[in-house]
Each structure stands twice: as structure tokens, then as C-alpha cells.
């Protein structure tokens, strides 16, 4: 059966949006996490350079990500080091909140989009049949 011209029910649109975004989030999350850690590392290095200690952490206090270890060299280096240090859970740390936020947003977005498209198509069809009946 051809699917051309068919529309999703509201529940199908919601579930499709949620599943698509959940898959995308799981696949891309390690890269997003690594990019955040690299930005934090760069910011800490810049702050260290501006206050004169050049990021050497001589005060002895642990300032978080990368504070007491060699800086990450790249996104891949960051992901691999997270995995070696903390395993799979380390690579996906914090993903629960991200999933909740992005999955619900995508689900409601696709639901809204499909509902609007359906309303526009029905209106267009109604106007077309009214114009045909008038002529």
C-alpha cells in the first residue's frame, strides 16, 4: 500500500517525533558532551591565563573537568578518555535530562506540524470542492 497522501494520527506523530529525537540524541550525545567539556576546558585555561597562574592549578584545589589531568586534545580524545575512565556511563553522563527535554520538544513539534498540515489540507480540499460546486 502506498503511503503517499496519508497523514499521521496525532498519537503517531507524537510517537514518531519522540522516537526519532531519542535515537538522534543517543547517537550524538557523546559528541555534544565532549564539545561542552572542551569549551569548559578552554574557558578555564583562558581564565587561568588572565589571572596570572597560567592554568597550572598550583593552589591544589580540584576545579573540575580537566583540572588535574592533561588537557583534552580533541573531541575524539575527550570521548575516548571519558570511556576509559568511566565506561559507557561516563560517555552518557547527564543524558537523562537532555533526553527528557529534547524528546518532548520534538514530539510536540511534530505533533503540531502534522496537525497544521492536516488542517491546511482539509481546508484546501473544502475550498476546492466548494469552488467546483459553484461552477
Amino acid at each position: 500500500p502506498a503511503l503517499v497522501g496519508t497523514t499521521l494520527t496525532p498519537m503517531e506523530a507524537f510517537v514518531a517525533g519522540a522516537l526519532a529525537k531519542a535515537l538522534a540524541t543517543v547517537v550524538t550525545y557523546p559528541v555534544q558532551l565532549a564539545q561542552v567539556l572542551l569549551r569548559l576546558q578552554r574557558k578555564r585555561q583562558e581564565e587561568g591565563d588572565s589571572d596570572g597562574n597560567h592554568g597550572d592549578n598550583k593552589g591544589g584545589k580540584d576545579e573540575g573537568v580537566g583540572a588535574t589531568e592533561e588537557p583534552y586534545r580533541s573531541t575524539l580524545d575527550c570521548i575516548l578518555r571519558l570511556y576509559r575512565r568511566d565506561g559507557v556511563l561516563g560517555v552518557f553522563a547527564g543524558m537523562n535530562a537532555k533526553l527528557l527535554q529534547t524528546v518532548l520538544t520534538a514530539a510536540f513539534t511534530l505533533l503540531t506540524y502534522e496537525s497544521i498540515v492536516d488542517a491546511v489540507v482539509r481546508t484546501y480540499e473544502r475550498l476546492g470542492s466548494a469552488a467546483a460546486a459553484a461552477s
Side-chain angles (χ1 to χ4, degrees), residues 19-63:
L19 289 175
K21 190 58 177 183
L23 178 62
T25 300
V26 169
V27 169
T28 61
Y29 188 77
V31 173
Q32 292 176 349
L33 177 61
Q35 290 173 343
V36 167
L37 294 175
L38 286 165
R39 279 193 294 271
L40 284 172
Q41 174 181 278
R42 185 173 42 239
K43 183 177 179 185
R44 286 194 176 120
Q45 287 171 342
E46 289 169 359
E47 287 173 355
D49 290 345
S50 68
D51 67 12
N53 74 13
H54 304 290
D56 57 9
N57 200 22
K58 287 184 181 173
K61 75 176 185 180
D62 184 3
E63 295 181 12

Side-chain angles (χ1 to χ4, degrees), residues 6-135:
T6 61
T7 59
L8 298 175
T9 66
M11 183 56 74
E12 289 170 336
F14 187 85
V15 170
L19 289 175
K21 190 58 177 183
L23 178 62
T25 300
V26 169
V27 169
T28 61
Y29 188 77
V31 173
Q32 292 176 349
L33 177 61
Q35 290 173 343
V36 167
L37 294 175
L38 286 165
R39 279 193 294 271
L40 284 172
Q41 174 181 278
R42 185 173 42 239
K43 183 177 179 185
R44 286 194 176 120
Q45 287 171 342
E46 289 169 359
E47 287 173 355
D49 290 345
S50 68
D51 67 12
N53 74 13
H54 304 290
D56 57 9
N57 200 22
K58 287 184 181 173
K61 75 176 185 180
D62 184 3
E63 295 181 12
V65 179
T68 59
E69 56 189 42
E70 179 183 332
Y72 300 121
R73 294 184 303 271
S74 66
T75 301
L76 182 59
D77 177 55
C78 183
I79 293 170
L80 291 174
R81 285 169 56 187
L82 285 171
Y83 179 76
R84 285 186 203 119
R85 188 180 67 216
D86 302 321
V88 173
L89 293 178
V91 175
F92 291 98
M95 188 176 69
N96 293 345
K98 184 74 169 173
L99 270 175
L100 183 62
Q101 172 203 5
T102 60
V103 166
L104 287 176
T105 299
F108 283 114
T109 299
L110 189 58
L111 171 65
T112 302
Y113 173 80
E114 286 294 325
S115 298
I116 290 171
V117 167
D118 185 51
V120 168
V121 167
R122 281 185 286 129
T123 301
Y124 180 76
E125 288 171 349
R126 231 176 295 137
L127 290 174
S129 46
S135 44

